[in-house]
Amino acid sequence: MLLGLAYRLLGTSAEAEDVVQETYLIWSAANHDEILKPEAWLTTVCTRKALDQLKSAQKKRENYVGMWLPEPLHTTTQSTPEDHVELSESLTMAFLMVMERLAPKERAAFLLREVFSASYEEVAEILEVTPASCRKLVSRAKANVQQKSQRFVAPPEKQRTMVSVFQSALETGETTELSKLLAADVALISDGGGKVNAIPEPLLGVEQVLGFIHKAISPAARSGKAWVEELNSCLSLVTIDGTGIMTTFTFGYNNSMKVNAIYAQRNPDKLAAVH
């Protein structure tokens, strides 16, 4: 749970792992006889450390070159039990991007309460606020999530179709079939981190997105290979060239099961875990 919580808060595996490692170092030095609820104690320390890290990360992101996307995360392909649906949805790129728009404590309160099912009293203690303030944090976060997010995990067959058609478009440059799977308001977002070429602003609408795929992405991808991975609870396409992974393409879906977001992660620092 700790690594999953830290990743959802921070959006990068490396930072999440650092926070969890620091949490267990503090645990190893603590007097365990005085800790009545170890799991709650660990969650508290991990959350507070992640929030400290998040404040530092947000300052760095102010100077980030281009658009910022979360680091892709390997997840296991499986039929998701009903009680784990929220956990699965909360790992998608679309969800993590919505989390980015929340204030740090709102983000933590929402995740602890709505995703990990902690009580308001438990969340309040972790965040060092009153239960009433905690309820307000969760309420504001829920309102923002509902207002700014159309995030749905598409059925596996829909995902397989999308990835297959998208891969075909990259290999051939032909986008007619792909156009049928995209929402009218589809956005293409690319993160190069200032280290590789990436679009500086989102491309919006079917015409712009398809045009860029045809003129730029497809020619670049044809010199390499591609394969399918599950990243962030969604089937995704990974492209490589002679030097390694070029891009991971992850997709967001609306309630009509059309793709309303294409997330192209190109920053090599964030692609190391995909190897």
Side-chain angles (χ1 to χ4, degrees):
M1 170 187 168
L2 295 184
L3 188 58
L5 172 62
Y7 173 77
R8 288 169 173 86
L9 280 168
L10 297 167
T12 74
S13 297
E15 290 176 341
E17 288 167 1
D18 287 345
V19 164
V20 172
Q21 184 176 25
E22 189 174 354
T23 298
Y24 279 110
L25 285 174
I26 295 171
W27 166 261
S28 65
N31 184 347
H32 296 178
D33 293 336
E34 296 178 355
I35 300 173
L36 300 179
K37 298 180 179 179
E39 184 176 350
W41 187 94
L42 288 166
T43 300
T44 299
V45 174
C46 181
T47 301
R48 292 176 182 174
K49 289 295 178 184
L51 287 175
D52 289 341
Q53 179 66 33
L54 185 58
K55 292 173 185 175
S56 174
Q58 286 183 324
K59 292 179 181 178
K60 293 179 183 177
R61 288 174 198 173
E62 291 175 3
N63 300 317
Y64 195 80
V65 179
M67 293 176 286
W68 186 92
L69 287 173
E71 182 178 316
L73 178 72
H74 280 287
T75 47
T76 303
T77 304
Q78 60 183 358
S79 298
T80 306
E82 189 64 31
D83 59 346
H84 289 162
V85 167
E86 189 67 32
L87 283 173
S88 178
E89 289 181 351
S90 67
L91 283 172
T92 63
M93 283 285 174
F95 180 89
L96 294 173
M97 291 298 286
V98 172
M99 290 294 100
E100 280 295 304
R101 300 186 181 107
L102 302 181
K105 280 195 173 182
E106 287 180 351
R107 191 185 308 190
F110 181 87
L111 289 170
L112 288 166
R113 173 62 185 166
E114 299 298 316
V115 177
F116 293 99
S117 303
S119 69
Y120 283 109
E121 290 72 20
E122 289 170 331
V123 178
E125 184 175 351
I126 290 170
L127 299 181
E128 298 180 291
V129 298
T130 66
S133 296
C134 176
R135 289 178 182 274
K136 289 180 180 178
L137 286 171
V138 174
S139 178
R140 284 201 303 268
K142 287 175 70 173
N144 279 321
V145 168
Q146 291 167 359
Q147 178 184 1
K148 298 175 180 177
S149 173
Q150 266 201 315
R151 53 183 179 85
F152 300 88
V153 177
E157 61 272 17
K158 290 282 187 182
Q159 295 187 40
R160 282 191 289 269
T161 297
M162 175 58 197
V163 172
S164 176
V165 171
F166 188 80
Q167 183 173 359
S168 177
L170 296 194
E171 292 172 349
T172 66
E174 172 55 52
T175 59
T176 302
E177 290 303 311
L178 179 60
S179 68
K180 300 174 184 177
L181 303 180
L182 302 183
D185 61 348
V186 64
L188 172 62
I189 303 170
S190 179
D191 177 350
K195 304 191 176 188
V196 296
N197 291 333
I199 54 175
E201 299 290 339
L203 295 178
L204 304 175
V206 174
E207 185 176 347
Q208 281 199 54
V209 170
L210 290 181
F212 190 75
I213 290 172
H214 176 75
K215 294 177 182 178
I217 299 179
S218 175
R222 285 180 217 169
S223 61
K225 297 180 180 180
W227 76 91
V228 179
E229 291 269 9
E230 186 187 287
L231 302 173
N232 295 87
S233 297
C234 292
L235 292 182
S236 308
L237 194 68
V238 180
T239 64
I240 61 170
D241 62 9
T243 62
I245 294 178
M246 293 193 301
T247 311
T248 61
F249 293 98
T250 308
F251 309 99
Y253 297 83
N254 63 18
N255 58 352
S256 298
M257 294 302 122
K258 287 201 169 187
V259 169
N260 61 359
I262 301 173
Y263 304 102
Q265 180 56 265
R266 293 182 45 75
N267 186 339
D269 291 344
K270 296 181 181 180
L271 295 175
V274 181
H275 287 282

